[in-house]
Amino acid sequence: DHGFHVRYRMEASCLELALEGERLCKIGDCQAGVSFFEAAVQVGTEDLKTLSAIYSQLGNAYFYLHDYTKALEYHHHDLTLARTIGDRLGEAKASGNLGNTLKVLGNFEEAIVCCQKHLEISRELYDKVGEARALYNLGNIYHSQGKNIGCIGPHDPGEFPEEVKAALQEASDYYEANLIIVTELGDRAAQGRAYGNLGNTHYLLGNFRKAVMFHEQRLLIAKEFGDRPAERRAYSNLGNAFVFLGEFEMAAEYYKRTLQLARQLKDRAVEAQSCYSLGNTYTLLQDYEKAIDYHLKHLKIAQELNDRVGEGRACWSLGNAYTALGNHDQAMHFAEKHLEISKEVGDRSGELTARLNLSDLQMVLGLSYSTNNSVLSENQDADYGFHSARSRLGRRRSMENIELVKLTPPKVQNWN
Amino acid sequence: PLASRQVIELQSKVVPSKQILHSDNMEMEPETMETKSVTDYFSKMHLGSLSYSCNSKRK
């Protein structure tokens, strides 16, 4: 029977291609994996469960490759197929994956509907593992949603709007519910993830003590597993929380461990971030020499990675630290660089800050150089549209508030 | 004296402690995706799905 033989060969090669795709994705080569899965789809199969598995893996591969539109498309195909063949478990999984993808795309409402479906079916099937995972995903969606609302629109300094707090509280509730189940199941890895994100949620809610407690739990589990990236994350998050508790020495210790691990893991971007955090922490400790040392390290890596935004931030920080040390020439140098980069990257608030810093510095330098008619005093004439130092200061203050709202969690106002 | 007073003033306002705090680098735990495999069904049936679809085709 020729037709049967052809069909059999096709089914077999579809499977072979899919298996190769799975193998490649498992070893982390999602790009190559995608090619094999797509070839498998081309060959086709009459077995809808196999096709569903291929769609699902294509969706995940595209997700890891950050092609979320494609990921959405395939998870959607998978969901339709799972429903068609009445595969409840498959439907639950497809819904969860669709939900996660929608979350990344910022469509929180639909993401919640999908992940609720994942939760609902898992409960119906008495699938504790699935239930726990759905709860974790829901926590992640509410967390993202809270952060997302928190970043846009003007609101009172230091206080997140009620809806942000509500979303973060919801996230916390879901993580706690997840934690109960995974603890019952003895799934330490999942516990680690829940602790980490609970810590981050409480950090945003301004519950810094709680955040520390959860990140410490996360750290413990990371060490248990020898999971160094997770260990590094925990150190960094602990550092952040201690900054807000005003315990800068502790923060510096944790950031140093982050830096150490970032170097071991050869992650230059994280190394740069750690140096930046350390620079800021030493500024808070008023140890400006050390602050400059770390900010210069950060600057070097930012330049190496062609990260102009990071470079601008480094210049701004260096300008401040040199000003604090009274080294106004160096301060001028970095303020000028900060201005140049802010203009280049279109950072309006950075540009304004840089101009204000420059005019302040020029004022000081003008006074100290008043006897020797320095070149710098020429710059004193530069008029940036502000009439007096007083109004300049007023503007500076209001801008600080904007920065503060954008970048810091709530309750920071009560912090010092 | 005026200059040095100016310097002190500048010093204190240039480094507002709160301004340099940043929370953007908060590090989240990885997402978990649900996984399926072609061997999920396949292993249970020892190529059952293959022969099933082939048999059904022949009928």
Side-chain angles (χ1 to χ4, degrees), chain A residues 26-45:
Chain A
K26 225 170 258 168
I27 60 165
D29 191 351
C30 287
Q31 195 67 63
V34 160
S35 311
F36 277 92
F37 284 128
E38 280 179 342
V41 173
Q42 282 297 312
V43 172
T45 171

Side-chain angles (χ1 to χ4, degrees), chain A residues 275-411:
Chain A
C275 289
Y276 182 61
S277 300
L278 274 164
N280 288 336
T281 310
Y282 280 112
T283 302
L284 292 169
L285 285 164
Q286 295 180 312
D287 185 342
Y288 301 111
E289 273 92 0
K290 273 194 188 149
I292 287 170
D293 187 38
Y294 282 113
H295 281 309
L296 284 172
K297 285 188 174 109
H298 168 226
L299 179 63
K300 198 171 151 244
I301 304 174
Q303 284 168 338
E304 195 184 290
L305 299 178
N306 227 340
D307 169 12
R308 289 295 271 175
V309 174
E311 212 182 312
R313 229 175 261 173
C315 290
W316 175 67
S317 308
L318 282 162
N320 285 342
Y322 278 117
T323 303
L325 279 180
N327 186 342
H328 296 112
D329 292 322
Q330 281 295 336
M332 274 294 264
H333 168 72
F334 284 109
E336 276 163 2
K337 279 205 77 176
H338 181 214
L339 178 60
E340 179 195 314
I341 296 169
S342 300
K343 279 201 254 177
E344 186 194 305
V345 300
D347 172 6
R348 299 283 296 161
S349 102
E351 194 183 326
L352 192 56
T353 308
R355 285 192 194 283
L356 293 167
N357 280 342
L358 275 169
S359 67
D360 280 351
L361 282 162
Q362 277 157 353
M363 198 165 68
V364 173
L365 284 168
L367 286 166
S368 32
Y369 284 83
S370 57
T371 48
N372 64 4
N373 215 357
S374 149
V375 197
L376 287 158
S377 58
E378 284 170 27
N379 295 338
Q380 255 187 286
D381 299 330
D383 181 10
Y384 297 116
F386 299 106
H387 306 296
S388 66
R390 187 174 286 272
S391 78
R392 208 183 290 148
L393 266 175
R395 298 251 191 157
R396 160 86 62 88
R397 293 257 156 73
S398 65
M399 211 164 54
E400 267 173 41
N401 285 340
I402 294 166
E403 291 276 301
L404 194 66
V405 174
K406 259 199 311 205
L407 298 176
T408 56
K411 304 268 162 69

Side-chain angles (χ1 to χ4, degrees), chain A residues 103 136-144 175 197, chain B residues 28 31:
Chain A
K103 176 201 71 182
Y136 177 73
N137 291 344
L138 280 161
N140 284 343
I141 299 171
Y142 281 105
H143 182 102
S144 290
Y175 290 136
N197 286 350
Chain B
M28 294 295 286
E31 277 143 334

Side-chain angles (χ1 to χ4, degrees), chain A residues 22 97 103 136 200 320 407, chain B residues 14 23 27 30-31 34 38:
Chain A
E22 284 186 14
N97 290 337
K103 176 201 71 182
Y136 177 73
N200 285 335
N320 285 342
L407 298 176
Chain B
V14 165
S23 63
E27 302 212 40
E31 277 143 334
E34 300 305 309
V38 291

Side-chain angles (χ1 to χ4, degrees), chain A residues 115-130:
Chain A
C115 287
Q116 283 289 356
K117 191 83 196 166
H118 183 194
L119 181 63
E120 184 193 309
I121 301 175
S122 301
R123 283 179 175 160
E124 181 190 299
L125 300 175
Y126 301 102
D127 171 9
K128 278 285 178 191
V129 175

